[in-house]
Amino acid sequence: GPKSGLLMPTYGEEYTKGFFLRDLGYYFTLGDYADLAVRGGIYTLGSWEASAASRYIKRYKYSGSFNMQYSNIKTGEKGEPDYIKQSNFRIQWTHSQDPKANPGSTFSASVNFATSGYSKYSATNLNDILATQTNSSIAYSKNWAGTPFSLSANMSISQNSQNKTISVTLPTLVFNVSRFYPFKRKEKTGKDRWYEKISMQYTGKMTNSVSTTEDKIFSKETLDNMKNGIEHNIPVSASFNLFNYINISPSANYNEKWYFKKVELEWNPVTNSVDTLPAQYGFYRLYNYNFSVSTSTTVYGMYDFTKKRRDRKIQAIRHTITPSIGFSYAPDFGDPKYGYQSSYQSDSTGTFRPYSPYSVNAYGVPSSGRSMSMNFSLSQNLEMKVLSKRDTSGVKKIKLIDELRLSGSYNFLADSMGLSTIPISFRTTLFGNFGINLSATLNLYKLTPDGKLYDKLFLPGRIESTGWSFGYTFKSRQDRTERAINDITSIPPEYMNPFYDPYGNMDPVLRRQYMAQTYYDFSLPWNFGFNYTVNYSISRGNYPPKGYKKNITQTIGFNGSVNLTPKTGVTFQGGYDIKQNKLTTSSVSISRDLHCWQMSFSWIPFGYHRSWSFNIGVKAASLSDLKYDKSQSMYDNMY
């Protein structure tokens, strides 16, 4: 059974912190459902760190883990420009509920909260160093069986370690009534009447959020800047079939917001500036609505090659075209009769600018200006049937074009140039491993000599931006029935590591670099993959002589692995930026299976995170402390 005991440390050297003894600690078994690992580390130049990690699980109920880390960093000499002394901490908590524990309700947590300096000065793996954005959330949901009602609650925190900003949502509540048909008869006789196809939904939201910095999180200013409100949304829709081939879908949407605060602006002639008046608290109701209708159909076309000869390799080709068109309308809720918009004097000349006193709240304000527009799209795919001896039916279906699509819209109320740009996309996958993606944006208006658009159509149009990419993976043939020589499932159960693997979701190459005990798949002799991406766009502005400039980027990425011997494997990944004319971050990793032992060497040869590490150790988890590590830390490149 599980035993409490000493956790052996690792040792090494970092240029800025000195020699270190890291992760020395003790492991405690806390009954049958939880454990605790307490660790600490010291550095010869004055830094130290401590951590506590616990896991808990109860079968058919819940499981989770809690991890807290604290570090006191000291680098450089006091009074020198490179002197740093600060304390950092990080708290991680994950919790999940077994679906069978309480049917109809769920509770989960994924908390990853850290001070802004943690990733730069205290993290010990590449993923944590590169993570400038961390997110935490705690969620609860409930649905009532046999009813259309459901409820969810969420609390979240988002941090940016570069600018020390923090966004807090505490909480967000959503009550939902799923789609129902209010006019449907309880006892149906004959076909549905048109009004029985009308459906409704309801969604009610309540939220409270704020964005601030770490040092102001508990200040009165933060409380005053909180954005909150309640929003109700009721969509009504229906779907009718015309002539058995055309689908018509009318819809209407009603939205209402409840706010409890408004902030007005006022020109101050004494200071010649705009003052923000104290917030006025009360109950404020804002509403808006809109209408729309869309229609679509599907057209099929097929050419049968078997009419003359049934043994043709190509049996048939079929294309599918799906056109759609829609119309939408919304009134002008910026009209003074609604009272949602106001204006303020912005300067001493008497210039007035529009604003809304309710824009300080969570869900914004109804949009100003009447809108009436039409949108359209056309989608097509193409597929082929060929004879195939491998398929049991004798015929195989091959997709030649997964999708070819164009779309756009027209604004009837625009003064000029109401037609939008036309996005076009093309996607296909050939031979199972070769994927192609193309995209382009067309502008159908003509240009003046200085690069400005004017209201006259130009066909077939001008490409404003485009991008395309393709990739392919080559790999050797192999017998998938053979298990890898050192497959982890071949290790006796008593040697399996019961601890949570913090690198489980890491990219395979990074996993081999930073996880000491790695099991390389030697059953795959070799594979190589690459992808090539090109992007082209136009930036308009004061760019002589044509009024615009062209932007082109090209990148190549590659990755692969190869077995040098039956028990020695190499993996690599990297890329090349053609515009910058330089290689992107690349890495090479070599693994050697030594039966009960394994040896690995990982190398990032250049770039900001250049480093190398060497490890040789026993595979068995119970003897994982029997190992030798040597490395050059990536931290040495940061100062």
Side-chain angles (χ1 to χ4, degrees), residues 256-303:
E256 184 168 308
K257 302 172 179 65
W258 294 350
Y259 291 147
F260 310 98
K261 177 177 67 173
K262 71 175 182 179
V263 175
E264 296 183 338
L265 304 178
E266 183 181 79
W267 173 256
N268 188 331
V270 177
T271 61
N272 283 333
S273 63
V274 177
D275 289 343
T276 301
L277 301 181
Q280 301 178 39
Y281 294 93
F283 178 77
Y284 307 99
R285 172 177 168 266
L286 288 69
Y287 68 90
N288 65 292
Y289 50 86
N290 58 71
F291 307 95
S292 66
V293 60
S294 64
T295 179
S296 64
T297 188
T298 303
V299 180
Y300 298 93
M302 187 174 71
Y303 185 82

Side-chain angles (χ1 to χ4, degrees), residues 154-157 168-172 206-210 226-227:
N154 181 275
M155 297 179 290
S156 64
I157 299 177
V168 181
T169 301
L170 186 69
T172 294
M206 181 180 73
T207 191
N208 183 55
S209 62
V210 67
M226 281 189 168
K227 294 185 176 183

Side-chain angles (χ1 to χ4, degrees), residues 283-578:
F283 178 77
Y284 307 99
R285 172 177 168 266
L286 288 69
Y287 68 90
N288 65 292
Y289 50 86
N290 58 71
F291 307 95
S292 66
V293 60
S294 64
T295 179
S296 64
T297 188
T298 303
V299 180
Y300 298 93
M302 187 174 71
Y303 185 82
D304 190 351
F305 290 92
T306 62
K307 292 181 178 180
K308 296 182 179 180
R309 287 180 53 189
R310 301 194 61 83
D311 61 342
R312 284 181 176 271
K313 178 66 175 177
I314 300 176
Q315 297 281 289
I317 292 180
R318 186 181 79 164
H319 70 85
T320 305
I321 300 177
T322 306
S324 68
I325 188 170
F327 176 83
S328 62
Y329 172 79
D332 179 11
F333 290 98
D335 192 294
K337 68 180 182 180
Y338 294 103
Y340 305 156
Q341 301 287 337
S342 185
S343 61
Y344 69 97
Q345 183 179 338
S346 60
D347 55 40
S348 58
T349 63
T351 303
F352 281 81
R353 294 184 179 180
Y355 83 105
S356 174
Y358 307 102
S359 60
V360 295
N361 293 289
Y363 299 111
V365 295
S367 59
S368 300
R370 188 166 60 104
S371 67
M372 184 167 60
S373 64
M374 178 184 67
N375 58 76
F376 55 88
S377 68
L378 183 67
S379 177
Q380 177 175 0
N381 63 45
L382 185 67
E383 53 190 6
M384 176 173 63
K385 285 185 177 181
V386 298
L387 292 177
S388 175
K389 296 180 180 180
R390 297 182 179 181
D391 197 283
T392 56
S393 64
V395 178
K396 182 180 179 181
K397 184 185 293 185
I398 299 175
K399 282 193 174 184
L400 300 177
I401 300 176
D402 291 342
E403 185 181 42
L404 174 61
R405 180 182 180 86
L406 63 85
S407 59
S409 63
Y410 187 86
N411 185 356
F412 292 99
L413 302 180
D415 294 335
S416 62
M417 296 186 294
L419 183 63
S420 70
T421 56
I422 309 297
I424 301 174
S425 61
F426 172 83
R427 175 171 51 88
T428 186
T429 303
L430 302 176
F431 315 116
N433 294 329
F434 188 74
I436 300 176
N437 289 278
L438 305 175
S439 65
T441 301
L442 296 181
N443 195 314
L444 300 184
Y445 288 103
K446 287 188 175 182
L447 287 176
T448 62
D450 59 350
K452 295 182 180 179
L453 297 168
Y454 65 97
D455 196 7
K456 191 171 184 179
L457 291 178
F458 167 68
L459 298 176
R462 181 181 299 99
I463 295 178
E464 292 279 302
S465 65
T466 183
W468 58 278
S469 64
F470 65 85
Y472 193 79
T473 299
F474 303 90
K475 59 183 178 180
S476 61
R477 295 183 178 274
Q478 56 180 315
D479 184 3
R480 281 296 183 184
T481 60
E482 294 182 7
R483 178 171 290 174
I485 295 175
N486 62 340
D487 189 352
I488 191 171
T489 58
S490 65
I491 299 175
E494 60 268 22
Y495 293 121
M496 292 291 287
N497 188 351
F499 286 90
Y500 169 71
D501 177 11
Y503 304 105
N505 296 321
M506 186 180 285
D507 178 84
V509 173
L510 294 177
R511 180 185 176 89
R512 281 189 282 276
Q513 293 173 358
Y514 298 105
M515 184 178 178
Q517 304 301 323
T518 305
Y519 301 96
Y520 186 88
D521 185 6
F522 290 98
S523 66
L524 181 62
W526 65 268
N527 71 81
F528 176 78
F530 76 95
N531 60 78
Y532 175 64
T533 302
V534 177
N535 288 290
Y536 164 86
S537 63
I538 290 177
S539 299
R540 300 192 181 279
N542 187 22
Y543 301 110
K546 296 184 178 181
Y548 63 86
K549 71 174 182 178
K550 299 177 181 179
N551 306 301
I552 301 175
T553 61
Q554 300 180 73
T555 57
I556 299 174
F558 56 86
N559 63 81
S561 64
V562 60
N563 280 13
L564 303 179
T565 71
K567 293 189 177 183
T568 304
V570 179
T571 63
F572 56 89
Q573 73 165 9
Y576 182 73
D577 189 323
I578 296 177

Side-chain angles (χ1 to χ4, degrees), residues 104 142-151 174-178 180 202:
K142 171 72 176 178
N143 62 75
W144 289 267
T147 72
F149 309 121
S150 62
L151 174 70
V174 179
F175 178 75
N176 186 69
V177 180
S178 60
F180 65 98
Y202 169 78

Side-chain angles (χ1 to χ4, degrees), residues 102-113:
N102 191 4
S105 67
T106 59
F107 176 79
S108 63
S110 177
V111 175
N112 184 11
F113 184 86

